[in-house]
Amino acid sequence: MASNRDSAISLPSLNTKLKIDFSQPLEGTVDTGVIKGKTAIVQDGATGLGLGIATALAEQGANVAICGSDPKAGEAAETDLNGRGLCVSYFKTDSGDWNSLLSTFKQVVAWSRDQLDIVVTTAGIVTHNMLMSALPRNHRPGADPPKPPTNVLEINFLGVYYTTSLAIWYFNQLESKRLDPSFNPQLLFICSMAGYEGLEFGTDYAASKHGVRAIWKTTRWPRQSMAQYQSNLLAPTYVSKKKIAGESEQKLREHNAQTNDIADVVAGALRCICDKKVQGRAVGCVQGSTGTPGRLNFDLCDDLTGGSGGKELLDKAEDIWLPSSATLKEDSDCAVQ
């Protein structure tokens, strides 16, 4: 008779009582001190949203490995944060390449002396789009159709797929060496509202983010034979970054797309990582909040009883920006997260 040791644990996602109020301020809600001394890997942690999360983790006392393909940005972030007395190290990484990611994980584990507690998958770009190659203006009589580029899929989806596999592998391998057994390893996915709705003329990006959501939904509940990690997902709307400026930000505004503040997403990240009650939840990180960061964040209820996030989005459709309300033109280079 087959053992049920390796069968999936019963899924609390069916329990409607699990809905979390993410609008509460962090102070007085969770103890962010639980991540002091923990080791974290943040994909693409040298700029934008990744840097915001990496900085917040380091400020709470975590040892943070920031990964990315731009040495100039990575080394600058490392120098700046270490200059503030934080513990941060940059590791050059190609987020879409297995060998590069594997090498980074090995280096981080050696750097941390066999500790790995937090992995955040913030890899995300939007450059090319499959529909661009199919535009009538690009048709030439008698020519074969051009092969569409796949770099967005390679980084946004395949890179997260690889990172998830490596994170779970090392959580299992290092379980017996964990310095704080009371703290479950954390796997935090950064998706996007485009992973819940479409993004007209954003095929590559939306497809990759729907894929990230699928990776999370199929790995968020560890099996009994595995290290018992926590896994959650953040779905921000457009996130304001330094590289969203001038013409690019104007394009967003032309499409009635407000930009989110990084602080709202960071608040959601810290809540997921530091709160033991938050497991298997997807958090909508909403644009335009004022006052306490994250005060408009909400539980998407991305499970069977919550209609896989659809009910919450429908309830808030009049109050928040959704990807389907914008049309990205073929020349759009807006940096969505």
Side-chain angles (χ1 to χ4, degrees), residues 144-193:
D144 289 336
K147 179 182 178 181
T150 58
N151 59 332
V152 172
L153 300 176
E154 289 165 1
I155 292 177
N156 295 12
F157 174 73
L158 196 57
V160 173
Y161 177 80
Y162 288 154
T163 299
T164 304
S165 176
L166 288 165
I168 295 173
W169 170 272
Y170 280 102
F171 288 164
N172 289 325
Q173 292 292 309
L174 301 175
E175 184 176 21
S176 64
K177 299 180 180 181
R178 285 165 51 200
L179 298 178
D180 182 3
S182 67
F183 182 86
N184 283 338
Q186 301 289 317
L187 180 54
L188 181 64
F189 292 84
I190 309 299
C191 182
S192 167
M193 282 295 178

Side-chain angles (χ1 to χ4, degrees), residues 201-223:
F201 231 109
T203 306
D204 301 42
Y205 186 81
S208 68
K209 291 304 182 179
H210 273 77
V212 168
R213 182 180 166 207
I215 293 171
W216 166 69
K217 292 190 76 166
T218 54
T219 60
R220 59 176 160 175
W221 306 111
R223 294 176 180 269

